[in-house]
Structures are given as C-alpha cells and as structure tokens.
Amino acid sequence: MCHISFMLTDANGDIAFLNGDAVPDTAGSFTIKICKQVTDLETGNATLTFCRPGKLRSSGFYTRHLTGNRDTFSSWVPYGGRAGEWVGVVSDGTETVQSEALLVAVDGEPT
C-alpha cells in the first residue's frame, strides 16, 4: 500500500488548515484531487492522469491510498505504476492551483 498525502495551506504556505473548520469562510467551496503528473520526454509537456479526490484525514492531510496492484494494471504500466510524480490540485471552480510534485519511489528505486 502506498499513501500519498498533501496538506492544505494558505497561499504563502505559512498556515496549515488541519480540518475543514480551519479553512477561512472567504475560501468558499473547493475540491482537492491527487493526480499523477506525467511528463512527455520529447516535448517536456506535463499532463495529469489518474486523478481522484483526496480524502481529508484526521491528521489534516488529504490522502490517497494506492494498492500495489496498480503497478501491474495494464492502464498504469505505461506510466510507471505508482512510482513517479504526484501533485495535489485545488480548484474552486474558477481557479486551479497545483502543488509542487512529490516524487514517489516503489521499493526504494527512484524513477
């Protein structure tokens, strides 16, 4: 099992919002997805794939669980399975903000 987590913060990264009550009312409604970022080696263009909503845990992290069988799914194999770059994507329906990439290695082998 692989757990990929992101923490929601203010725009400057100074204040962590550890639960829904801590998010300012001015933020309005928003969604958080956790996606694999795949970069085309020829063009350098990055695309997001395998996006799913992150679930807010009691730890304050938005987390996605990925089981080991993802490494052998025919649709995931061309993208390296669970290994690679993962990002958190926050959207309020008008604007979208993407986190810096989190590099995930499987069995200690970097990608």
Side-chain angles (χ1 to χ4, degrees):
M1 173 83 62
C2 176
H3 307 277
I4 300 172
S5 300
F6 292 90
M7 181 177 286
L8 183 64
T9 67
D10 68 340
N12 296 323
D14 298 329
I15 301 171
F17 302 123
L18 299 179
N19 61 52
D21 294 338
V23 177
D25 292 336
T26 55
S29 63
F30 60 90
T31 60
I32 295 183
K33 298 184 298 185
I34 297 175
C35 306
K36 184 161 189 185
Q37 179 174 274
V38 179
T39 303
D40 184 299
L41 296 177
E42 292 181 16
T43 65
N45 295 331
T47 57
L48 300 180
T49 188
F50 306 122
C51 294
R52 295 286 183 267
K55 182 174 179 184
L56 180 60
R57 304 288 174 182
S58 60
S59 63
F61 288 98
Y62 286 85
T63 302
R64 181 166 175 197
H65 302 288
L66 299 172
T67 55
N69 59 357
R70 300 281 192 243
D71 295 333
T72 58
F73 281 1
S74 61
S75 60
W76 284 60
V77 168
Y79 302 102
R82 295 172 295 167
E85 295 181 335
W86 289 84
V87 296
V89 180
V90 180
S91 178
D92 67 0
T94 304
E95 294 184 66
T96 300
V97 177
Q98 180 176 310
S99 72
E100 292 184 28
L102 171 70
L103 182 60
V104 173
V106 177
D107 295 329
E109 294 294 324
T111 58

